[in-house]
Amino acid sequence: MFSSLRSRLWLSYALLISVSIGVVAVTLLVAFLRNPLVYRSGLPRLKEAINTVTPQLEKAIPQGMKAVEEELQMASRRTGLRYLLISSPGKLFYDSGKGQEGGIALLALRRIILNENEVPSGLYRDQNGKRWLYLSQRLPEGMILVVAMPTRDLPLNILIRNEMVMPVVLAGLCGLGLSVVLALAMGAWIARPLQKMQKEAAQLAEGKAVGVSEEGPQEVRELAHSLNEMMRKVQAGQRAQRDFIANVSHDLKTPLTAIQGFAQAILDGTAQSPETLRNAATVIYNGASRMYRLVLDLLTLARFDAGTADLVFEKVDPQDLLRETVRRFSPLAQKAGVILRLEDASLPVLFADGERLMQALANLMDNALKYTPAGGTIVLRGKVEEGHLLLEVQDTGKGISPEEQTRIFERFYRGNPSRSQDGEQSSGLGLPIVREILRAHGGEVRLYSEVGKGSCFTLVLPLQGSEVHREHQGGKRE
């Protein structure tokens, strides 16, 4: 019955308000059962009686106790109240109700003696169960006057009919009714955006590309915003998965088609001459090598995504990495007619995975050679800035447009093939691998490029705190 949020909100409001009204009602009922009304109405009468008789007693006390008793007898007959006169030690001099309800004097004496610094008053039930309202007043010469009047408990029906009880009861009922209405309105106000969100989320589950409305209270808006962000990431992941399958299929299909075709030619006997067989073997080898590199790149990215990439951190000389990169790519640069230059510098020792950094530099060099025309220049340099080591690969190629720069580190993104010197597109995995390697080292890769002037890729590595990345260290590289 109360399974929905709206009904539970309404029930919680109703219970809260009902409990509050119930506590107030019980408090009022207990207060009336203790006769506060009798107390408030009888006390002025006792005060008036004391104020009237006190001046007379002050005049009679010097004349003796007989004169005092006569004054008190006259006051008792005139007011119908009970008068007691006692001394501070507790001796009773006079009681107008002596022989009738003598039990009240004992309490009055005790209460007065224990409260010497104040004027006592209150309710008292004597030995016979009778309730008394009393008030005392100190007189000259250590005398204490006590005036008392009997009270009685009012029946419950009289209390309920009291002019103060009924308005309170009616006000409570009106407040309860109004609170129920407000609880229903507030429950609907809070639950409405959640119900709308639930319907829109159900449409998302059915595959409909609709967003969740970000409205309602702040917490609901934040929840809707989180759902929209999650939806966008899921959709982006789905698109990336579709693109991944399509790109991998395309990159594998081309070499596989060539391998299958030339292998079939060899099996059919079409390729019989030594030159034809050598050509077929070359195509098959190049196609297999291309697929092997693609599989290795995919495996590398998968390991970085899963956090299982084996990085062996050790002390590395960054200048040695740059020299080794120049040594490896010098033959390719000479073949392409590109000038490859290294700027020597004194660089600090770095705690890093040297082979992974070499892989990152090699990927950047592949791109630089691919997009730098003959006669161009590629410069490798290292420097230190603000506690970071910077390894730069700068070329004088055609440059990268601002639109491509925003996507160049996306997986399988292929730039404009016209920038390449051979017109061949890459797999689109080299730069994403570079970025993952730098992230594993706590660094980043930066790009600065101008169309027509060239590009500069910078590997930014922290010099301090690189030990925190040892969690990637597997101790042994496969």
Side-chain angles (χ1 to χ4, degrees), residues 87-352:
S87 64
S88 294
K91 180 180 179 181
L92 179 63
F93 287 109
Y94 175 77
D95 182 4
S96 63
K98 186 177 181 180
Q100 301 175 7
E101 304 290 351
I104 189 176
L106 299 178
L107 176 76
L109 291 173
R110 289 197 301 270
R111 296 287 291 272
I112 294 170
I113 292 171
L114 293 176
N115 297 275
E116 294 182 354
N117 298 323
E118 58 183 76
V119 178
S121 64
L123 288 169
Y124 166 67
R125 191 182 298 273
D126 62 17
Q127 294 95 326
N128 298 326
K130 190 173 183 179
R131 289 166 56 92
W132 293 84
L133 176 64
Y134 66 90
L135 179 66
S136 65
Q137 173 70 43
R138 294 187 178 275
L139 300 176
E141 309 212 1
M143 306 296 287
I144 298 176
L145 174 65
V146 179
V147 183
M149 60 178 294
T151 63
R152 61 188 181 88
D153 296 332
L154 296 179
L156 185 60
N157 62 340
I158 297 178
L159 291 174
I160 295 177
R161 291 198 304 267
N162 187 277
E163 59 180 7
M164 293 184 62
V165 175
M166 288 306 298
V168 172
V169 173
L170 292 176
L173 293 176
C174 292
L176 180 61
L178 181 61
S179 64
V180 170
V181 175
L182 291 176
L184 291 174
M186 292 181 65
W189 175 61
I190 295 176
R192 189 180 299 112
L194 292 176
Q195 291 173 341
K196 186 177 180 181
M197 186 186 304
Q198 185 271 332
K199 294 179 181 178
E200 293 170 343
Q203 292 178 345
L204 286 176
E206 295 174 359
K208 298 179 181 179
V210 294
V212 178
S213 301
E214 298 181 13
E215 59 183 24
Q218 179 180 354
E219 292 80 2
V220 178
R221 293 198 304 269
E222 292 176 354
L223 176 60
H225 179 74
S226 300
L227 287 175
N228 287 330
E229 287 296 321
M230 180 183 66
M231 177 192 67
R232 283 190 283 269
K233 291 181 179 179
V234 169
Q235 292 176 345
Q238 292 175 343
R239 286 194 299 269
Q241 185 179 18
R242 290 193 298 267
D243 295 342
F244 173 80
I245 295 174
N247 290 326
V248 171
S249 300
H250 177 270
D251 287 346
L252 291 177
K253 180 180 179 182
T254 301
L256 281 174
T257 301
I259 292 172
Q260 186 179 22
F262 279 91
Q264 187 66 40
I266 295 174
L267 290 175
D268 294 343
T270 304
Q272 295 181 349
S273 65
E275 182 180 356
T276 306
L277 288 174
R278 178 178 293 276
N279 184 37
T282 301
V283 172
I284 292 174
Y285 177 79
N286 290 337
S289 298
R290 181 179 177 183
M291 289 191 297
Y292 179 72
R293 289 194 302 270
L294 177 61
V295 171
L296 285 182
D297 289 343
L298 291 173
L299 181 60
T300 299
L301 287 173
R303 285 176 175 173
F304 276 113
D305 289 340
T308 58
D310 294 326
L311 271 68
V312 180
F313 284 83
E314 56 189 0
K315 292 182 178 180
V316 176
D317 187 346
Q319 195 67 25
D320 288 344
L321 295 180
L322 296 177
R323 293 192 189 100
E324 178 63 19
T325 303
V326 171
R327 187 189 67 80
R328 290 185 184 182
F329 285 89
S330 289
L332 296 176
Q334 292 177 1
K335 183 179 180 180
V338 175
I339 300 173
L340 182 57
R341 187 172 75 247
L342 170 63
E343 293 184 359
D344 289 327
S346 178
L347 302 177
V349 174
L350 183 69
F351 188 80

